[in-house]
Amino acid sequence: MRLFFALCLPPGLAAQLAGLAEVLPGGHALGEEDLHLTLHFLGELDEPRAEEAAWAAEALQAGPVWLRLQGLGSYGARGRLSLHAVVAPEPGLLGLQDRLGSRLAGAGLILPRRRFRPHITLARGLRGGPALDRIVAANIGLSPPPVAARSFGLFRSWLHADGARYERLQDYPLVLPLS
């Protein structure tokens, strides 16, 4: 199974970001239900290792985790660009990602070494060019009020010609801030 842990987006934020992706030129926009912020990519795991990953996350107490957007960005080569919302590296988010990584490593899982750059991928396979540049420039200051994430999850992904499909296998609630 191809697995990863990701922060689940609050519905209002997911709807807002999915709306931005719908107006992109070409490529494949992710649907509202597929938007997430990857915390750790685990890669291909067999059933026993997947259960160890789920168990490692089960006892993790975390929260609150605030999501604060800082505009849009893109990466990749022309014709294979991805558009993403940049997420501020808030202490709660960084702490969750770090503590989850420590628990996974403690369970014997080997995680790919990569720098954590919080973002939410909105679309893949974009052509680039002036239309995409205008959308990124128009949203460079995208900064809705911060929102609290309610959970993170263990996800499975399947790769298809038109992009990945995701299934949430398990949810892990986060401690929400007092209002």
Side-chain angles (χ1 to χ4, degrees):
M1 292 184 284
R2 189 171 189 261
L3 301 174
F4 63 94
F5 281 99
L7 202 60
C8 305
L9 302 186
L13 179 61
Q16 179 183 7
L17 293 174
L20 277 174
E22 288 176 359
V23 299
L24 295 170
H28 173 72
L30 276 69
E32 184 176 333
E33 67 284 352
D34 288 331
L35 296 176
H36 62 271
L37 190 157
T38 300
L39 297 167
H40 285 286
F41 180 73
L42 304 176
E44 294 286 339
L45 297 180
D46 60 17
E47 185 92 19
R49 299 299 283 164
E51 288 176 9
E52 289 174 16
W55 178 84
E58 188 69 40
L60 180 64
Q61 295 293 315
V65 174
W66 289 94
L67 296 173
R68 184 169 54 87
L69 300 185
Q70 295 182 312
L72 299 182
S74 63
Y75 55 88
R78 203 177 259 307
R80 306 237 349 123
L81 286 170
S82 292
L83 181 74
H84 62 273
V86 178
V87 178
E90 298 287 342
L93 175 58
L94 296 178
L96 172 62
Q97 194 267 347
D98 184 57
R99 290 191 359 254
L100 178 59
S102 293
R103 290 196 57 81
L104 293 168
L109 293 156
I110 299 170
L111 301 173
R113 289 190 166 267
R114 53 177 75 148
R115 187 170 169 214
F116 181 55
R117 294 186 177 139
H119 68 278
I120 302 163
T121 300
L122 305 177
R124 295 186 177 96
L126 301 168
R127 292 186 300 272
L132 180 60
D133 293 344
R134 279 192 299 275
I135 290 169
V136 171
N139 290 284
I140 203 80
L142 177 69
S143 184
V147 294
R150 297 186 174 279
S151 65
F152 69 99
L154 176 61
F155 289 78
R156 182 176 186 179
S157 70
W158 288 271
L159 299 178
H160 295 272
D162 62 342
R165 302 276 194 290
Y166 307 115
E167 175 189 7
R168 191 178 320 171
L169 301 175
Q170 193 156 344
D171 278 320
Y172 305 93
L174 295 169
V175 176
L176 294 176
L178 299 174
S179 5

